[in-house]
Amino acid sequence: MSLTIGVDVGGTKVLGGVVDASGRVLATSRRDTPREGGSELTKTIAAVALELMQQHSITAVGVSAAGFVSSDRKTMLATPNIADWNGVQLEVELTKLIGLPVVIENDANAAAWGEAKFGAGRNQAHMMMLTIGTGVGGGIVVNNELYRGAFGIAAEFGHLRVVPEGHLCGCGARGCFEQYASGSALRRHAREAISASPDLARNLLARGDGTIDGLTGQAITDAAREGDAVALAAFQTTAQYLGAGIASLAVLLDPSCVVIGGGVIDAGEILLAPTREAMKRYMPFAGKHPYPEIVAAELGNEAGLVGVADLARN
Ligand SMILES: [Zn+2]
């Protein structure tokens, strides 16, 4: 059976895995992500792959990383969150170090492909995935193929403008989707709910250091699970924006399935149920067409690794 390696480059760790054709991870290797980025990061990826290649017969290596990847999957065009990696000819450099064919993919695209092939979106020819963490990443599968666009920036859902002149985003624009429907947005909505009802918010605040700034997404999720009204209000607001955004994306792409992944999905139905309601409420031509199902991702942190390993295989 053909084995490939997927390497997922994250902010803190570089995680590699040997993956078989059915999406099973047979072995893993990890290193810390070098803070200086650049050629040290490229060498770290190669070291992870070479270690795994010692134990298995590998045909190709896929690398998923945050940033804009050229549509020919060879060059990191821009990496806002990785130092000194802009414009790196990663495919050429890694092929030299590893000696195998290498494919590069944006991390959210790789995760979407993993879920489409082996996870919550399997058997769906038309699906999209939203990876909701600090920001919002996206991936689109059309006709069983990953959609990359002309210049490698397709599916950057997080930067769709949803509020004209809204909150300033890290990308430099205002009112981006991820300012309203991400893990960071959940905390913002919690802060607003606390300010609106300080008496009701005591229980929630007690889960952190007592201040609004000391409140983590995990604490808000834990409180919501126990029925805390303020925490649930923060999820409701996040879900309103998320559902409205998905309704707009459905008009554009008409998927049968929308997979939600990333850290925020730990909340499960606390987020998904109001998101489905909001999607229906905001959907144009309501009731005149089927709606996409909205489901939780199944592959967790391995989605990108498994997805990019499969992309390298084909
Ligand atoms: Zn933005």
Side-chain angles (χ1 to χ4, degrees):
M1 188 185 278
S2 151
L3 299 179
T4 55
I5 289 172
V7 183
D8 191 40
V9 180
T12 57
K13 67 176 188 290
V14 175
L15 179 66
V18 176
V19 181
D20 72 12
S22 62
R24 265 184 316 170
V25 179
L26 307 180
T28 59
S29 165
R30 64 168 285 176
R31 301 266 201 290
D32 291 340
T33 304
R35 273 169 191 273
E36 63 266 47
S39 60
E40 280 309 308
L41 177 54
T42 305
K43 282 184 220 158
T44 301
I45 295 167
V48 165
L50 288 166
E51 184 188 323
L52 293 167
M53 285 159 63
Q54 286 174 2
Q55 306 143 27
H56 296 89
S57 174
I58 303 294
T59 55
V61 176
V63 178
S64 85
F68 298 119
V69 177
S70 62
S71 53
D72 65 3
R73 306 189 291 172
K74 292 178 186 292
T75 307
M76 296 303 301
L77 295 176
T79 54
N81 301 317
I82 301 171
D84 200 21
W85 233 32
N86 290 334
V88 166
Q89 308 273 320
L90 195 57
E91 186 263 349
V92 172
E93 292 189 13
L94 280 175
T95 301
K96 253 188 251 166
L97 294 169
I98 296 171
L100 285 177
V102 173
V103 161
I104 318 294
E105 190 55 77
N106 166 271
D107 57 351
N109 280 359
W113 184 251
E115 292 287 345
K117 195 81 190 280
F118 306 112
R122 62 186 170 275
N123 303 322
Q124 310 267 0
H126 304 280
M127 64 82 80
M128 61 186 192
M129 178 172 179
L130 278 72
T131 301
I132 305 181
T134 312
V136 176
I140 302 166
V141 172
V142 176
N143 270 333
N144 293 309
E145 283 186 22
L146 190 61
Y147 180 78
R148 290 193 183 78
F151 305 115
I153 63 165
E156 287 288 338
F157 298 148
H159 304 285
L160 290 169
R161 184 170 295 205
V162 296
V163 178
E165 302 313 312
H167 296 302
L168 184 63
C169 181
C171 74
R174 282 190 175 274
C176 290
F177 188 39
E178 71 176 30
Q179 295 302 314
Y180 298 86
S182 61
S184 316
L186 173 71
R187 291 178 60 212
R188 188 206 299 278
H189 297 318
R191 283 199 292 273
E192 287 163 2
I194 289 166
S195 302
S197 322
D199 289 343
L200 280 176
R202 284 205 190 95
N203 276 337
L204 180 56
L205 285 173
R207 288 171 182 271
D209 61 5
T211 70
I212 292 178
D213 288 337
L215 207 54
T216 62
Q218 187 62 53
I220 299 166
T221 302
D222 291 344
R225 273 202 196 102
E226 291 170 21
D228 183 275
V230 178
L232 285 169
F235 271 102
Q236 278 284 350
T237 307
T238 306
Q240 295 305 302
Y241 284 106
L242 186 55
I246 291 172
S248 294
L249 290 166
V251 171
L252 183 69
L253 298 165
D254 193 20
S256 57
C257 175
V258 180
V259 176
I260 309 291
V264 170
I265 202 57
D266 285 351
E269 287 299 309
I270 292 169
L271 178 70
L272 291 181
T275 298
R276 290 186 196 107
E277 276 176 35
M279 175 194 67
K280 288 179 183 167
R281 189 156 1 99
Y282 292 113
M283 187 72 86
F285 307 107
K288 304 279 196 297
H289 54 87
Y291 296 137
E293 55 173 342
I294 299 178
V295 296
E298 292 179 2
L299 303 183
N301 291 336
E302 287 187 344
L305 183 163
V306 169
V308 84
D310 192 71
L311 289 166
R313 176 176 292 111
N314 297 303

